[in-house]
Amino acid sequence: KTPAAQEAPAQGAMEPMGPGTMGPGPMGPGPGFRPDQPYPMDYVQDAGCLLTTLCFFGAVGTTCCSGFGVLSGLFVDLAPYQMMLYLYLTLLGLVATVVELEPWQVPCMAETLERAHYELNHWAKFITWLCGRGWFYIFIGLLEFSQWNFLFSILGVWVTTAGVACLVMHCSGAVSPLEERYEDGIELGLAPGMA
């Protein structure tokens, strides 16, 4: 091997995760990386891998099924209230999907996701807290139950269960409180140039 080949990391080698990296993988420092500030910014309270996966698939299912309802409303005569409900569920599902995605999981959209998390943290802070997300998912699940069909009933059970799990995790203290997001009196989350 040449000296350059010996120094270069192997193709697909995992970089260590730490400040300045976008997470596990060969992605390295993310967009907006500054050595004096950790990346990614923590705008959304972490719910743990299992609960985040449960919430993510519920949000994607809500978005897809209600989006299909909106599209079918273009060809089938739906009542106006039902079309509006499908539109609301599609938008709420998209918001929930964005909340559950981390920027390092979708590198091609990392900056967009980080900006979306910042805007949600600014304009709808309750969604970024685990307790608020729990009530948000329960609300979505109850809206899905109101459709009275098999698919939306299954989704309603799934999403409501995710919401209740978020509330239980919040009340049990299994996650660190948001006050720990403060360091030396400055809230982590506002990256330079994002104000």
Side-chain angles (χ1 to χ4, degrees):
K1 289 185 177 181
T2 64
Q6 289 175 349
E7 292 175 13
Q11 185 77 3
M14 298 288 279
E15 295 281 329
M17 189 170 162
T21 62
M22 291 178 60
M27 293 169 265
F33 167 69
R34 287 186 37 189
D36 60 333
Q37 214 164 17
Y39 183 88
M41 300 286 103
D42 186 18
Y43 299 115
V44 179
Q45 187 178 18
D46 185 36
C49 184
L50 184 62
L51 185 54
T52 299
T53 303
L54 180 73
C55 293
F56 175 75
F57 283 117
V60 169
T62 298
T63 305
C64 292
C65 290
S66 54
F68 179 73
V70 169
L71 290 177
S72 68
L74 300 175
F75 305 107
V76 178
D77 190 24
L78 286 179
Y81 76 90
Q82 197 166 16
M83 186 67 156
M84 287 304 295
L85 185 59
Y86 284 146
L87 281 171
Y88 282 132
L89 282 172
T90 303
L91 292 175
L92 293 175
L94 284 172
V95 168
T97 302
V98 166
V99 166
E100 296 303 332
L101 280 175
E102 291 292 332
W104 62 267
Q105 293 172 323
V106 189
C108 62
M109 294 180 57
E111 288 183 39
T112 305
L113 279 172
E114 186 178 358
R115 181 65 186 191
H117 285 182
Y118 168 73
E119 293 296 335
L120 285 170
N121 190 36
H122 182 74
W123 296 104
K125 193 171 191 86
F126 72 95
I127 294 176
T128 63
W129 294 28
L130 201 53
C131 179
R133 265 192 314 206
W135 288 112
F136 181 65
Y137 287 129
I138 290 171
F139 174 70
I140 292 173
L142 293 176
L143 282 178
E144 289 172 336
F145 276 127
S146 73
Q147 291 300 299
W148 289 106
N149 69 33
F150 180 72
L151 187 58
F152 276 104
S153 295
I154 297 296
L155 272 173
V157 169
W158 184 284
V159 174
T160 304
T161 301
V164 170
C166 286
L167 289 177
V168 167
M169 185 172 265
H170 170 77
C171 293
S172 71
V175 293
S176 60
L178 289 175
E179 287 75 30
E180 291 182 14
R181 295 169 72 185
Y182 290 86
E183 193 172 278
D184 300 327
I186 300 171
E187 184 180 2
L188 297 177
L190 184 57
M194 295 194 77

